[in-house]
Amino acid sequence: MTNSHKGHDMFMTDVLVIGAGLAGERAAIESAANGLNVILLSLVPPRRSHSSAAQGGMQAALGNTAMGKGDSPDIHFLDTVKGSDWGCEQDVARLFAETAPIVMREMAHWGVPWNRVTTEKRIYDGKEIHEDPAKVGLIAARNFGGTAKWRTCYTADGTGHTVLYTMDSIVQKHGITVHDRVEALSLIQDGDTCYGAVVRDLRTGELRVYTAKSTVIATGGYGRLYGASTNAVINEGSGMSIALDTGVVPLGNMEAVQFHPTGIVPSWILITEGARGDGGYLLDKNGYRFMPDYEPNKKELASRDVVSRRMMQHIRAGYGVDSPYGQHLWLDIRHLGAKHINTNLREIANICREFNGIDPVKELIPVRPTQHYSMGGIRTNINGQAYGLKNLYAVGEAACWDLHGFNRLGGNSLAETVVAGKIIGEKIAEFTKDVSLTVSTSLIDGHLHAQLDRIERLQQNAGRGGENVYELRSLMENTLSQNVGIFRTEGPLQEAVDTLRELHQRAQNIGLRGTGRGADPELALALRLPGMIRLALTIAKGALARQESRGSHFREDFPKRDDATWLKRTLAYWPEHASEPDLKYESVKITELPPGDRGYGEASATSKSAPTQS
C-alpha cells in the first residue's frame, strides 16, 4: 500500500526486507509463500547484489562423490564447530547442517544447474578418483578448506551467480515487490519495537517511509571498511550500522574478520578457494610449494584463517615476491590443464585475463590474503530475531546468527544465505501472521525529520570547508588495514582505537565539496560514513579487548586460545549520544562438542619457523 506522509512517499507492508541478495530474497520468498505481502529494498538491481560474485560453492552433506563418501550432517557439524574455533552456537550449527541437504535439492528443483557426478577420469593430488557409477547424475561436490569430506556443491566457479539468478526468478514468480537503488538510513523504532525504515531514493535523493509488521536486515558484510577487500563496493555495513544506531541492538563478534588467502594482486578480486580445492598449489618466490611444510595434512586446504596466517608468515620470512603493490605469493593451477581451467574455473580465468593480462593456463597468479568476510553482525537468536528490538530480524552476512564463530568455513556462508533464509523466513512468516501494525505518526515524523535535518545541515554547509568525506574514509580504511589485520598486537590496536575515536569526532563536521542536491554520491557517502566509522571502532575495540587468539582473531601477544576466560561472544552496543561502543559478553552455547583441538594449524603462527629452502 502506498500513500503520502507530509509529501514523502509512504509504503506499508507485512514484511520489509532490506537487502536483495541471496539471504534477503530467500527470506522474502518464504514469507510470500505463506501469503504475506513483502517489499524488498536494494541498493542495486537484485541480480547485481554481491551474492552473484560468490564463486566456490555451498556446503551440504550429500555424500554423492567418491571423496564425500560416508559424509553426514554429523561430520558437517563437527567441521563447522572446529572451523569456528569453538566460537559458534552449536544448536545453530546443528540446525544448519541438518537443513543444508534439503535446501540444495530444493535449489536444484528451482533450476540451479549444479555440476553433476560423472565417470570422467580425474586426477587429484596425484591420485586417480573413481566415482560410483550408481551416483552419476547426482549433485557433485568439490574440496574446500577445513572439511573432512568433499561436500561443496558448485556450478563451475559461478555458484553465486547461478543461484542468485535462479532465486530472483522465484522472487518474480511470487510477485514480490522490489524497490531498487534505494538505501535505508535509519530504522523506525521506539527502543522496544521496530516498525520499518526511513529510506533514501538514490536516483532522486528523496526520502521515503516504509512501515512493516516485520523488518529484516539482509545487507551483507562490511568489507569495504578495509582498503583492500574482495567485497563489492556496496558492502559498507550499512544494515549493521543502522541497527547499531538504535542504541539497543548489539553487534556480535565484530572483531572476527576473515581474510581470504587468495585475493588477486592488485585489484583484490577473489580467486576462489575452489582453485585450491580443485588441486591448485601456493608457491613462493622460488617456485617452492610451502604449505605442506606448515600444514602437512591439510596443506593449502587448512581453514582460511590458518592458510592466510601461514602465507603472511612465509612472506615475513623473506619468501614473498616483490611487486609495485607490495609482496605477494603465487597460485599455480597450470597443471590442472586448459580444459578444467576453462570450464570449472572459467570465471577466475576471465578475471586473470581481463584484470591482470595473464593466462592462468600458462602463467602463475599473484595472490595475497585480503579482507573477505565478516563473521560478526547483528546479533540474533536461532530464529533470526535481533537482540534488543521486537519485530526486527537479520539474516546472512549482516547477521551474527552465529554459525561461524571466529572463522567460517569456505562454502558455509553461501549455504547459510539460502539455508538460514529458508529457516528464518519460515519463522518470520509464522510470527508476522500474529502481529498487528500500529505505529504512531509522531514516531514516524521524529525519525523522518532526524534524517531530513541531517541532509539539510550537510547541504547548508556545502562549500564552507569542514572535513572531506573521502579523506576521512581513506584514513579509516588505512587504519583498519594496517592495525587490525591478520596479525594483531596491543600497540597497533590501541593506536587504531585512538585514531578511529578521533575520526568519529571529525565525521560530525563533514563539509561537502559539491552541492549535496539530488542524487549526489558525495552526500550519500556523507550520510553513510559516520556509521562506517562506528563499525570500524567497534571492530578495533573488540579486537583490543579480546586477549587471546581464536580463529581469524590472532593476537601475537596472546597466541593461544583461552577457553577459561574467552569462551564468550562479544556484544557491542552503541548507546545514544555515546562517543564509543560499550562491550558486553555472552557465553557461547556448547550443546554437543566440548572445546578441543581443531586438527590443523596446531602450532601457533609465531612459534613455528618458516621452512628453510636449499
Side-chain angles (χ1 to χ4, degrees):
M1 186 191 299
T2 316
N3 54 31
S4 175
H5 183 84
K6 297 196 173 175
H8 296 274
D9 284 345
M10 182 169 173
F11 301 86
M12 294 173 68
T13 186
D14 295 324
V15 179
L16 176 68
V17 182
I18 303 170
L22 279 175
E25 289 209 328
R26 186 63 191 84
I29 288 165
E30 204 61 37
S31 299
N34 278 278
L36 297 169
N37 290 321
V38 183
I39 295 178
L40 267 168
L41 304 182
S42 183
L43 286 168
V44 290
R47 294 185 183 201
R48 296 289 175 268
S49 299
H50 189 50
S51 296
S52 68
Q55 297 165 1
M58 297 184 171
Q59 281 200 43
L62 300 175
N64 294 335
T65 54
M67 302 297 280
K69 193 175 179 184
D71 198 11
S72 70
D74 286 341
I75 301 172
H76 189 182
F77 167 82
L78 289 173
D79 285 344
T80 299
V81 175
K82 287 177 181 177
S84 78
D85 217 354
W86 277 269
C88 73
E89 293 286 84
Q90 291 189 13
D91 56 347
V92 169
R94 169 58 69 183
L95 178 62
F96 167 76
E98 297 283 352
T99 312
I102 300 163
V103 176
M104 295 312 121
R105 294 185 181 109
E106 179 182 61
M107 294 293 112
H109 173 67
W110 284 357
V112 172
W114 295 118
N115 278 48
R116 302 286 176 158
V117 177
T118 68
T119 53
E120 192 177 313
K121 185 179 173 185
R122 174 99 193 270
I123 304 290
Y124 182 82
D125 216 12
K127 302 184 193 80
E128 194 169 338
I129 297 172
H130 297 280
E131 297 293 354
D132 180 351
K135 301 281 190 182
V136 169
L138 297 180
I139 298 170
R142 63 169 29 139
N143 198 8
F144 251 53
T147 67
K149 304 281 185 183
W150 292 25
R151 78 166 69 86
T152 306
C153 310
Y154 64 104
T155 60
D157 61 344
T159 311
H161 181 100
T162 54
V163 178
L164 184 64
Y165 273 57
T166 303
M167 191 77 73
D168 195 53
S169 298
I170 305 293
V171 164
Q172 292 179 46
K173 184 178 169 183
H174 280 284
I176 293 169
T177 302
V178 177
H179 292 172
D180 63 19
R181 296 182 178 88
V182 296
E183 179 172 12
L185 297 183
S186 73
L187 295 173
I188 297 168
Q189 48 83 27
D190 58 8
D192 177 70
T193 306
C194 182
Y195 299 99
V198 176
V199 172
R200 183 167 176 265
D201 184 331
L202 295 173
R203 290 182 180 92
T204 65
E206 292 298 316
L207 296 192
R208 305 176 185 174
V209 171
Y210 290 80
T211 57
K213 295 177 180 179
S214 295
T215 302
V216 187
I217 295 179
T219 49
Y222 55 66
R224 284 288 158 176
L225 300 182
Y226 280 76
S229 173
T230 65
N231 283 203
V233 294
I234 55 173
N235 285 32
E236 297 174 324
S238 54
M240 296 179 200
S241 62
I242 62 171
L244 187 66
D245 286 349
T246 64
V248 293
V249 176
L251 303 181
N253 283 351
M254 288 296 280
E255 65 269 32
V257 183
Q258 182 167 85
F259 290 79
H260 196 287
T262 53
I264 193 168
V265 179
S267 65
W268 313 119
I269 297 170
L270 175 68
I271 300 297
T272 175
E273 189 162 321
R276 285 171 287 130
D278 285 7
Y281 304 141
L282 289 168
L283 306 178
D284 64 17
K285 70 177 183 182
N286 301 322
Y288 177 73
R289 185 185 179 192
F290 58 91
M291 276 306 295
D293 294 345
Y294 294 107
E295 302 296 334
N297 296 324
K298 288 285 185 183
K299 303 169 188 156
E300 281 83 359
L301 290 172
S303 65
R304 290 177 177 176
D305 60 309
V306 172
V307 178
S308 294
R309 280 198 295 278
R310 295 306 194 194
M311 288 172 71
M312 292 311 294
Q313 182 183 350
H314 203 62
I315 287 172
R316 282 175 162 191
Y319 295 109
V321 181
D322 288 325
S323 88
Y325 314 103
Q327 292 196 321
H328 64 77
L329 295 163
W330 298 114
L331 176 64
D332 187 4
I333 60 173
R334 296 171 299 181
H335 53 284
L336 301 182
K339 184 184 175 192
H340 186 95
I341 292 168
N342 291 326
T343 50
N344 282 4
L345 298 171
R346 61 177 181 251
E347 294 295 326
I348 66 165
N350 287 335
I351 288 164
C352 290
R353 289 169 186 141
E354 291 171 18
F355 287 86
N356 279 52
I358 57 175
D359 183 355
V361 173
K362 300 172 189 160
E363 297 172 86
L364 299 173
I365 307 168
V367 293
R368 187 163 77 223
T370 308
Q371 192 288 335
H372 178 60
Y373 186 81
S374 31
M375 274 77 71
I378 298 162
R379 181 71 183 117
T380 74
N381 65 16
I382 195 170
N383 297 325
Q385 293 169 312
Y387 284 21
L389 272 186
K390 292 178 197 148
N391 304 3
L392 179 65
Y393 293 79
V395 65
E397 194 176 348
C400 179
W401 188 29
D402 180 7
L403 174 63
H404 308 299
F406 272 77
N407 174 70
R408 67 106 174 161
L409 295 184
N412 260 1
S413 64
L414 200 58
E416 181 196 19
T417 61
V418 290
V419 175
K422 178 184 174 68
I423 292 167
I424 291 166
E426 284 172 359
K427 295 294 180 187
I428 292 165
E430 185 185 308
F431 174 82
T432 307
K433 284 175 179 175
D434 297 328
V435 174
S436 58
L437 181 60
T438 314
V439 53
S440 77
T441 310
S442 61
L443 184 69
I444 293 171
D445 282 350
H447 285 279
L448 178 60
H449 282 291
Q451 298 310 314
L452 286 168
D453 290 348
R454 285 179 71 203
I455 291 167
E456 198 176 313
R457 274 199 307 275
L458 286 163
Q459 289 171 339
Q460 283 176 349
N461 290 330
R464 296 184 184 175
E467 297 286 352
N468 183 322
V469 71
Y470 299 105
E471 192 180 303
L472 292 182
R473 178 182 185 144
S474 180
L475 289 167
M476 173 197 72
E477 289 175 357
N478 292 339
T479 300
L480 283 182
S481 294
Q482 291 167 19
N483 296 14
V484 198
I486 293 172
F487 292 103
R488 301 169 175 185
T489 48
E490 184 174 359
L493 288 172
Q494 185 63 62
E495 188 183 318
V497 169
D498 294 343
T499 301
L500 290 164
R501 274 192 195 124
E502 181 197 328
L503 291 179
H504 185 250
Q505 289 303 314
R506 290 172 62 184
Q508 311 311 307
N509 184 35
I510 290 169
L512 300 179
R513 271 48 187 171
T515 63
R517 302 284 163 190
D520 184 0
E522 186 190 16
L523 175 67
L525 180 57
L527 292 170
R528 203 179 300 133
L529 188 71
M532 291 167 70
I533 294 172
R534 282 194 282 279
L535 294 184
L537 182 48
T538 302
I539 293 165
K541 192 173 176 183
L544 176 62
R546 185 171 287 271
Q547 296 184 334
E548 66 153 358
S549 290
R550 186 181 298 272
S552 64
H553 173 70
F554 191 84
R555 288 284 299 261
E556 291 188 283
D557 43 356
F558 297 96
K560 301 289 184 201
R561 194 178 80 205
D562 178 3
D563 292 328
T565 315
W566 287 104
L567 192 62
K568 56 191 181 184
R569 182 175 300 102
T570 309
L571 297 179
Y573 294 82
W574 199 294
E576 198 176 355
H577 307 306
S579 57
E580 63 183 271
D582 185 12
L583 302 184
K584 297 181 180 176
Y585 296 90
E586 68 172 357
S587 298
V588 172
K589 201 172 287 173
I590 307 288
T591 54
E592 301 179 53
L593 191 66
D597 180 42
R598 298 169 86 189
Y600 45 79
E602 296 90 347
S604 76
T606 49
S607 64
K608 188 169 180 177
S609 58
T612 53
Q613 298 169 28
S614 53

